[in-house]
Amino acid sequence: MRVLGIDPGTSKLGYGVVEDDGALRGVTWGVLAVARRFSLEERLRILYARLCDVILEYTPQEVAIEDPFVGRNVRSAFALGRAQTVAILAAVNRGLGICYYSPALVKQQVTGYGRSDKPQVQEMVRLQLGLPECPYPADAADALAIAICHIQQSYLHSWLNSEGMV
């Protein structure tokens, strides 16, 4: 299974591709960055085009997207929702299945603690993927964590189905 994890943002969108062929392996990761001097609409257009390129190049089978955390800044939440929509469109237009995960679930799944900080997430991603160094920047590490979370959740759901629990 090859999964594209996405950490949505309107100026920095983290992505990470993880493959599970018996062991987890980080295929690629990075950040699609667009200067804030562009209008929101132009940034979204650029992010969409670049994300489509990532999908074409790395051919994931599924996409996992982090649900935006809605705190006190509603305006920021709306912007993240727009970035999430760009990711959804890029995946749907390639016929890929999509799953969504909360930040707390991703942290819980990857680190064992739902309120882990960014360095903890980066270190656990490094360990689980057997990387020599922590993935950088943090947005890319988060995207890898989202992909790892999806793979682990997929195994859990498969096991529950085979046991007749779902």
Side-chain angles (χ1 to χ4, degrees), residues 66-86:
E66 186 174 75
D67 269 333
F69 172 75
V70 180
R72 294 176 189 250
N73 191 340
V74 175
R75 199 171 165 160
S76 176
F78 279 130
L80 287 176
R82 289 176 177 133
Q84 185 186 44
T85 301
V86 164

Side-chain angles (χ1 to χ4, degrees), residues 35 44 46 61 78 81 84 91 94 98 118 139 143 146 156 162:
L44 293 174
I46 293 167
Q61 295 160 309
F78 279 130
Q84 185 186 44
R94 298 300 301 169
I98 304 168
K118 293 213 179 269
D139 299 305
I146 295 160
L156 176 62
S162 71

Side-chain angles (χ1 to χ4, degrees), residues 128-147:
Q128 290 184 39
L129 297 180
L131 302 173
E133 296 178 2
C134 286
Y136 182 83
D139 299 305
D142 289 347
L144 288 168
I146 295 160

Side-chain angles (χ1 to χ4, degrees), residues 40-103:
L40 175 63
E41 295 79 11
E42 183 65 10
R43 282 183 285 160
L44 293 174
R45 185 193 65 75
I46 293 167
L47 289 171
Y48 174 80
R50 290 182 183 170
L51 191 54
C52 286
D53 290 343
V54 169
I55 291 170
L56 283 172
E57 183 172 352
Y58 295 101
T59 60
Q61 295 160 309
E62 297 178 16
V63 175
I65 303 172
E66 186 174 75
D67 269 333
F69 172 75
V70 180
R72 294 176 189 250
N73 191 340
V74 175
R75 199 171 165 160
S76 176
F78 279 130
L80 287 176
R82 289 176 177 133
Q84 185 186 44
T85 301
V86 164
I88 292 166
L89 282 172
V92 167
N93 284 338
R94 298 300 301 169
L96 299 172
I98 304 168
C99 288
Y100 307 92
Y101 299 98
S102 70

Side-chain angles (χ1 to χ4, degrees), residues 141-152:
D142 289 347
L144 288 168
I146 295 160
I148 292 168
C149 175
H150 176 69
I151 290 169
Q152 292 173 348

